[in-house]
Amino acid sequence: MTQYTLLGLSGSLRAQSANRKLLREASRIFGDATYVEANLEIPLYHGDVEDAHGLPAEVKTLVDQIAQADAVLISTPEYNSGISGVLKNALDWISRAPVKPWADKPVAIMSAAAGRTGGARAHVMLRTCLAPFRPCIANGPEVLIAECNSQFDENGHITERYAQNIDALMTTLRAEIQRR
């Protein structure tokens, strides 16, 4: 059985954020894979900086990681009805790379938020922001973790309420990888 590489992009920088936990849990549920979590602590996009210096080293690393991964997992909180600035900034920088690492890349998107909708608006916005990159976004089921701070146990495992949907999404993602 082939071991895949999954790259995780968390829209939250907090070390113990629900979105980081969700990415780790999705990777665990996916099964036999190497999981790498990307560093989105990168400078704010600034065209003058790009013109003068090109892509920052951290952005080049991120672009390379996306290109080399078999699939990408993205999880975002919902901030003010949208994705986090951290995630949007990363997407903006990635769009400036001369290579197009997202093209036809299998991607699974998820969200975890403290509210009752689990970040549904951020989830939709993330799909919209990814559209120009033309990745292969795994279709359903949607993974929207509501009241996220109470949905993980002390070991970081997701409650049974959401485990089935994550498993189904990871099965869909695996099928997308295998079609390549």
Side-chain angles (χ1 to χ4, degrees), residues 104-141:
D104 206 34
K105 180 71 63 178
V107 174
I109 64 173
M110 300 165 271
S111 59
R116 293 181 304 214
T117 64
R121 291 175 288 196
H123 194 93
V124 170
M125 183 180 174
L126 179 54
R127 279 185 178 274
T128 302
C129 290
L130 288 171
F133 297 123
R134 304 182 87 174
C136 184
I137 299 175
N139 287 320

Side-chain angles (χ1 to χ4, degrees), residues 4-10 23-24 27 33-39 61-62 65-66 68-69 71-73:
Y4 299 113
T5 299
L6 303 177
L7 179 67
L9 276 66
S10 173
L23 289 170
R24 293 175 190 141
S27 174
T34 299
Y35 175 70
V36 176
E37 197 165 300
N39 177 11
T61 296
L62 181 56
Q65 287 177 314
I66 294 167
Q68 293 169 9
V72 179
L73 308 174

